[in-house]
Amino acid sequence: MTRRVLVTGGGTGIGRAIAQAFAADGCHVTIAGRRRAPLEAAADRPGMEIRVADVTDEGQVEALFDAPYEVVIANAGTGVAARIEDVALEDWQRTLTVNMTGTFLTFRAALRAGMEPGGRLMAIASTASLQGGAYIPAYAASKHGVLGLVRSVAHSVAKRGITCNAICPGFVDTEMAETAITGLMSRHDIPREKALTMVVGGNPMQRLIAPEEVAATAVFLASKGAASINGHAMSVSGGEI
Ligand code: NAP
């Protein structure tokens, strides 16, 4: 039977790579996001479908689940880099709402829609789920929250043969990492090369992680062989954590 997979934020970056990996595996993949154009550009394989939805909107998230999915990946996310003194309340709230509440609404709707045994819930969390940083108070708070949610849902679904896990990447080569790099360039008045060195400095492999490496982890966690991996925070960070 063709597995149905939902990837939120599936039009760009990590979500796009995950969607394409599952589509290449023969799954029917629905990608969701707020902007139609990147979704249309990303849905370039047979068996891919796009849905415009904001993960912070309860009704729009529930409307994605007109039929149950076998694999649901809460990937949509956002972040701002600033020390706590400089974080506007609006930015704090948006970060928590997209990253944490968006993941909650997505998982809740997946389970309410009747996810079957063998089902897989995943959150694209972050190494910021496992450690803080001076410039990421809102992002790290939200991603720690995502991990708490994942660990709790894992207990709740375990007897039903469903798993819930977090994938925790370090810096991945996407627009989000690019924003971090350009932010460092302007904050410290340094060239791109130096900013990139700072960004990859935390990763012992001294490089950005490829979105496809995160996608391969998601495909593994969705495999039958991963049936006993539950409530796990899988670091994909070259040994950073
Ligand atoms: P990205 O390219 O900016 O992807 C973020 C995606 O989320 C976009 O497709 C965006 O699409 C979607 N999105 C944002 N807000 C949304 C909302 N309210 N409703 C629905 N979709 C929304 O960045 P990325 O690096 O691939 O990030 C994907 C995930 O990986 C995020 O959760 C991020 O925190 C996590 N992560 C990234 C890194 C990294 O270094 N890149 C490292 C660790 C974890 P629309 O704007 O069209 O809605």
Side-chain angles (χ1 to χ4, degrees):
M1 200 184 77
T2 306
R3 282 197 301 177
R4 296 183 77 241
V5 178
L6 173 70
V7 186
T8 67
T12 63
I14 295 170
R16 179 180 179 152
I18 291 173
Q20 293 188 333
F22 278 98
D25 229 21
C27 299
H28 182 278
V29 183
T30 301
I31 54 175
R34 292 166 303 176
R35 292 165 298 152
R36 179 172 290 279
L39 293 171
E40 280 176 348
D44 58 359
R45 285 174 186 266
M48 291 181 81
E49 181 192 335
I50 69 165
R51 301 285 284 270
V52 174
D54 185 328
V55 296
T56 68
D57 184 303
E58 187 177 22
Q60 290 182 29
V61 173
E62 284 176 2
L64 291 171
F65 292 85
D66 37 16
Y69 293 89
E70 280 79 38
V71 180
V72 170
I73 301 171
N75 163 78
T78 190
V80 280
R83 286 188 177 274
I84 185 165
E85 295 92 325
D86 301 322
V87 176
L89 178 59
E90 191 190 328
D91 287 338
W92 167 265
Q93 284 170 333
R94 190 182 63 253
T95 307
L96 264 63
T97 306
V98 175
N99 296 353
M100 215 162 60
T101 309
T103 303
F104 156 70
L105 289 173
T106 303
F107 285 175
R108 190 183 69 172
L111 292 167
R112 283 182 172 175
M115 185 173 256
E116 301 270 348
R120 298 285 196 268
L121 297 168
M122 288 175 226
I124 305 306
S126 171
T127 48
S129 298
L130 303 163
Q131 64 185 359
Y135 283 91
I136 52 167
Y139 187 71
S142 72
K143 293 292 186 177
H144 275 66
V146 166
L147 185 52
L149 172 68
V150 162
R151 287 173 166 156
S152 301
V153 174
H155 278 272
S156 172
V157 298
K159 281 189 185 157
R160 283 186 258 167
I162 297 170
T163 67
C164 182
N165 289 292
I167 297 176
C168 300
F171 272 109
V172 182
D173 193 3
T174 71
E175 272 306 306
M176 196 174 271
E178 190 55 36
T179 304
I181 292 165
T182 50
L184 283 169
M185 287 166 65
S186 61
R187 204 178 307 129
H188 301 293
D189 194 21
I190 52 174
R192 188 173 196 288
E193 206 174 307
K194 199 162 179 198
L196 177 62
T197 305
M198 287 168 80
V199 162
V200 300
N203 179 341
M205 296 193 321
Q206 302 282 291
R207 66 166 174 83
L208 291 173
I209 292 151
E212 291 73 20
E213 295 177 278
V214 183
T217 308
V219 170
F220 164 65
L221 286 173
S223 70
K224 280 199 180 130
S228 290
I229 300 175
N230 192 26
H232 191 58
M234 186 165 282
S235 173
V236 182
S237 65
E240 178 184 345
I241 197 160

